[in-house]
Amino acid sequence: QVRLVESGGGSVQAGGSQRLSCVASGATDNNFCMGWFREAPGKEREEVASIYTGDVSTYFKNSVKGRFTISQDNAKHTLYLHMAILGPDDTAMYYCEAAKIEPYDCASDAWSANFWGQGTQDTVSS
């Protein structure tokens, strides 16, 4: 079992930045795809970004490319989502997710998580 705990959400003005963190515990190793998805009322769930542990391959949703980056600190078992130039459309509950899949499947939005956290709310006001 893998436990994921997110933090870092909150309220921010449009144009601002935030960093979300996700601490992983349990059966984690260097063979996991980890990422972030978000859910907002009235909108479909969106895969935001993903990265394969121990690798540099990443995926980003088109609307966040150039604004969001994803990174990991393997020593701390922590995944980060750095968000910049935030806009009201970024308002959502952000969830950390993980799956034991192949690296090439991780560099896309077509994978399904086996584990996810409780989420952290991020609200961007205009």
Side-chain angles (χ1 to χ4, degrees):
Q1 280 289 348
V2 175
R3 182 166 181 255
L4 304 171
V5 179
E6 305 95 334
S7 62
S11 297
V12 65
Q13 293 280 341
S17 302
Q18 275 188 324
R19 187 184 76 170
L20 305 182
S21 301
C22 170
V23 178
S25 60
T28 56
D29 55 28
N30 283 339
N31 295 299
F32 269 85
C33 178
M34 297 194 70
W36 297 87
F37 69 90
R38 65 188 183 186
E39 293 182 338
K43 295 184 179 180
E44 291 186 359
R45 168 179 158 167
E46 298 179 322
E47 292 293 331
V48 176
S50 60
I51 187 169
Y52 201 78
T53 55
D55 197 13
V56 296
S57 300
T58 57
Y59 161 82
F60 290 98
K61 178 179 174 59
N62 282 339
S63 63
V64 307
K65 284 181 180 177
R67 301 189 297 120
F68 290 13
T69 58
I70 189 170
S71 63
Q72 53 191 337
D73 184 333
N74 291 330
K76 296 181 179 179
H77 301 289
T78 302
L79 179 74
Y80 301 101
L81 183 68
H82 308 261
M83 307 184 292
I85 318 175
L86 287 162
D89 285 347
D90 296 313
T91 294
M93 184 74 84
Y94 284 76
Y95 297 87
C96 178
E97 56 181 344
K100 204 168 181 68
I101 59 175
E102 295 297 324
Y104 52 80
D105 288 327
C106 185
S108 74
D109 63 349
W111 60 281
S112 296
N114 301 124
F115 310 97
W116 52 90
Q118 82 288 349
T120 183
Q121 176 68 38
D122 193 68
T123 302
V124 184
S125 57
S126 57

